[in-house]
Amino acid sequence: DGGITQSPKYLFRKEGQNVTLSCEQNLNHDAMYWYRQDPGQGLRLIYYSQIVNDFQKGDIAEGYSVSREKKESFPLTVTSAQKNPTAFYLCASSISSSAAENQPQHFGDGTRLSIL
Amino acid sequence: QQPVQSPQAVILREGEDAVINCSSSKALYSVHWYRQKHGEAPVFLMILLKGGEQKGHEKISASFNEKKQQSSLYLTASQLSYSGTYFCGTRGDSSASKIIFGSGTRLSIRP
């Protein structure tokens, strides 16, 4: 079955530490996205990538970094510059990011990040 | 600009109907609806394009009023499985490569 796999499911970060969240998809989708979700709130876009080797900042990119070296992988690094990283992180993908094609986004099961 | 969803939360008895609204201060090109159960991934429900279309998905349907810049999600004869948080996501125009999500509406269904 095709889908999006996020790992780990739970992650703990120490002060001053960088951590990387994994996101892998086997749907052959071009576009991938990272969202942050805080309790009782909606999804806020961190970064997105429309194609391999290209990515753009979303609405809350500060303190985060990404790479897109392979079509199926879009890891997110939460750096020490992100002072309030505790949240639920969701990765998503879609066939295309083009509004004209209007494709839905498919989400992974998320990673819950907490500070130690 | 983030769309505004209303109500923020609603509690229903099984079999009752509900309407969830999603409004934008800007013109909309399309509206996406998702449902998320606690601690799980959001699941896609439907996409509506400008033009005032209405779509249906079993007992869940939605409308898109382009002039009012809003969309409404209708849940009829609600089932326990409908519980969760419903999010709308909007695109402002055909060149928009990202979706902006509302803060969600929490729906609780009681037997």
Side-chain angles (χ1 to χ4, degrees):
Chain A
D1 277 342
I4 300 177
T5 301
Q6 289 187 240
S7 62
K9 194 172 178 69
Y10 299 96
L11 187 59
F12 298 91
R13 196 192 87 169
K14 294 180 181 178
E15 288 285 341
Q17 187 182 42
N18 292 352
V19 292
T20 297
L21 285 61
S22 170
C23 178
E24 305 276 330
Q25 54 99 358
N26 60 3
L27 299 167
N28 200 32
H29 285 175
D30 282 325
M32 297 187 74
Y33 313 80
W34 273 106
Y35 293 93
R36 170 178 171 142
Q37 187 174 34
D38 292 284
Q41 296 195 28
L43 307 172
R44 292 186 291 168
L45 184 64
I46 305 173
Y47 268 98
Y48 64 104
S49 169
Q50 295 172 284
I51 199 166
V52 176
N53 292 321
D54 184 53
F55 49 82
Q56 288 80 39
K57 291 182 179 180
D59 301 316
I60 55 166
E62 187 174 349
Y64 301 97
S65 66
V66 292
S67 63
R68 187 85 187 277
E69 297 176 2
K70 298 186 294 184
K71 186 176 185 176
E72 60 270 24
S73 178
F74 191 41
L76 173 75
T77 297
V78 184
T79 74
S80 57
Q82 174 48 247
K83 299 305 178 187
N84 183 25
T86 298
F88 188 49
Y89 291 86
L90 285 161
C91 178
S93 72
S94 62
I95 292 174
S96 163
S97 65
S98 166
E101 296 190 27
N102 252 322
Q103 294 295 323
Q105 292 186 7
H106 301 263
F107 287 83
D109 287 335
T111 293
R112 195 166 298 277
L113 176 62
S114 303
I115 290 187
L116 281 177
Chain B
Q1 189 133 5
Q2 186 181 38
V4 177
Q5 289 188 235
S6 63
Q8 289 185 313
V10 59
I11 301 173
L12 298 176
R13 289 200 179 274
E14 202 173 2
E16 291 182 335
D17 301 340
V19 180
I20 299 171
N21 298 305
C22 175
S23 299
S24 174
S25 59
K26 294 187 172 183
L28 296 176
Y29 175 77
S30 64
V31 179
H32 299 224
W33 285 98
Y34 292 80
R35 176 173 63 210
Q36 183 182 31
K37 295 193 179 282
H38 183 69
E40 298 181 7
V43 173
F44 169 73
L45 294 176
M46 64 189 80
I47 296 174
L48 298 102
L49 299 177
K50 71 174 185 177
E53 70 169 346
Q54 187 154 351
K55 275 195 171 181
H57 181 78
E58 295 181 346
K59 292 181 181 178
I60 300 175
S61 62
S63 63
F64 180 16
N65 189 319
E66 185 183 345
K67 285 185 179 178
K68 291 185 178 180
Q69 296 169 185
Q70 72 178 37
S71 175
S72 296
L73 186 71
Y74 307 95
L75 300 101
T76 58
S78 57
Q79 305 168 16
L80 294 175
S81 62
Y82 288 0
S83 293
T85 300
Y86 289 79
F87 292 100
C88 69
T90 59
R91 288 190 198 263
D93 56 61
S94 59
S95 65
S97 54
K98 56 184 183 179
I99 298 169
I100 301 174
F101 287 93
S103 57
T105 295
R106 182 176 297 177
L107 177 65
S108 301
I109 311 291
R110 295 185 174 173

